[in-house]
Amino acid sequence: MTQTYRGIAYRAPVVTAYEFDGSARIRRLRSYYDKLAIEEQIAASLPGIKGWLLRKVTRVLLAQGRTGLETPTGPPPTGVG
């Protein structure tokens, strides 16, 4: 979805999960957003010191979030057993 924050357009990646009851009616609806991806887009468009500071903070948060998510190196695992 596309939205705006103080005149700055950004794309919000969203996943929506629906839970249904036995009558096929929606019992619960939940949406999940990638808030750091949104902040990164907004920070890239903000001018001046505020934009610079938000870009720095966002980069640190993204780097910390990616820690431990690196893909393993070396040959792929072989079959089980």
Side-chain angles (χ1 to χ4, degrees):
M1 84 174 52
T2 303
Q3 296 185 352
T4 59
Y5 171 78
R6 296 187 181 183
I8 299 171
Y10 64 90
R11 296 188 63 161
V14 60
V15 173
T16 303
Y18 296 88
E19 291 181 28
F20 299 92
D21 63 14
S23 303
R25 293 183 183 169
I26 297 174
R27 182 160 184 85
R28 181 182 285 174
L29 167 77
R30 287 180 273 174
S31 294
Y32 301 92
Y33 299 88
D34 185 348
K35 291 181 181 181
L36 281 176
I38 293 169
E39 284 193 30
E40 185 177 34
Q41 292 175 62
I42 293 169
S45 299
L46 284 175
I49 190 74
K50 188 174 182 179
W52 177 84
L53 185 58
L54 187 56
R55 284 189 293 278
K56 289 283 195 184
V57 169
T58 303
R59 283 188 203 125
V60 168
L61 292 172
L62 286 169
Q64 287 180 344
R66 290 182 179 130
T67 301
L69 297 178
E70 293 85 20
T71 55
T73 57
T78 57
V80 177

